[in-house]
Amino acid sequence: MAGVVAVVLLAEAVFIAALNWFLGVVVDRQDMSLAGLDPDVMSTSSKIGGVLFGLYFALCALVAALVAVRDRAPAGLGRVLLISAAVVHGLLGAFAWGLVGWTAFLFMVVVLGLIVLLLMTYDRAAGPQSEAPGGVPGQGGGPATRTEPGAAPAGAGAGAPAGRTDEPQDGDEEPQDSVPAQITVPAPTTP
């Protein structure tokens, strides 16, 4: 899915850069001023703006490609770039509805949805259930198995003490929670 976002953003980067370059060439060949502006300045600024906007979308495509290759959520500057690209597509979609038509609006909304979907689907941190009991994360441990309340832990012999139940035992002043608090491990912050 992140690969699809990378391809779409890269194609959009090339299209935006080529379109602005073409518009700069048209303004340069028309040799007309708009409200007293110099045509050379308008042509040059259109070309520079197209190249910068294309590089911005290409960098966002690179972040999406890294997410696809690493199979890990973007973090830091990469996450900020993808969020800003989503905002830009939302704004461009709003302008496209009024200026270009519903097809351009639909394209912008689809790209916005793909970026948001990328950000949401890779926004999962590996919690304590993904580690093996007593194991080190990432070293061959499978998912931890959950034991029933009152059952002996896995691998315990017949003489092992039974697990704690929900009923108060001697020395308890107040009832215990039936569900233990879960501790989440922070996600890695590398882009």
Side-chain angles (χ1 to χ4, degrees):
M1 209 278 304
V4 172
V5 175
V7 169
V8 168
L9 285 175
L10 189 61
E12 190 175 9
V14 170
F15 177 75
I16 291 289
L19 178 67
N20 279 323
W21 194 272
F22 173 74
L23 290 175
V25 169
V26 168
V27 167
D28 192 31
R29 290 194 179 157
Q30 288 293 322
D31 202 27
M32 297 169 48
S33 71
L34 178 68
L37 293 175
D38 185 20
D40 293 330
V41 172
M42 289 191 307
S43 171
T44 305
S45 62
S46 176
K47 291 176 182 178
I48 290 173
V51 168
L52 289 177
F53 218 26
L55 287 174
Y56 166 71
F57 281 137
L59 188 60
C60 292
L62 176 68
V63 170
L66 286 175
V67 168
V69 168
R70 295 178 181 170
D71 197 28
R72 195 171 53 197
L77 181 62
R79 186 169 185 82
V80 170
L81 276 173
L82 288 177
I83 291 171
S84 69
V87 170
V88 165
H89 280 88
L91 292 172
L92 286 177
F95 288 126
W97 179 271
L99 297 175
V100 181
W102 67 270
T103 55
F105 170 77
L106 184 64
F107 175 76
M108 289 297 162
V109 169
V110 166
V111 176
L112 169 68
L114 284 173
I115 294 172
V116 170
L117 189 63
L118 173 107
L119 288 168
M120 297 302 289
T121 55
Y122 284 94
D123 196 27
R124 304 278 191 261
Q129 270 68 7
S130 65
E131 299 174 9
V136 179
Q139 291 186 353
T145 57
R146 208 165 177 195
T147 59
E148 293 294 322
R164 185 169 176 105
T165 62
D166 293 337
E167 296 129 19
Q169 297 180 359
D170 293 335
D172 288 339
E173 278 78 31
E174 56 187 86
Q176 300 293 319
D177 290 337
S178 62
V179 178
Q182 294 184 0
I183 300 172
T184 58
V185 178
T189 58
T190 57

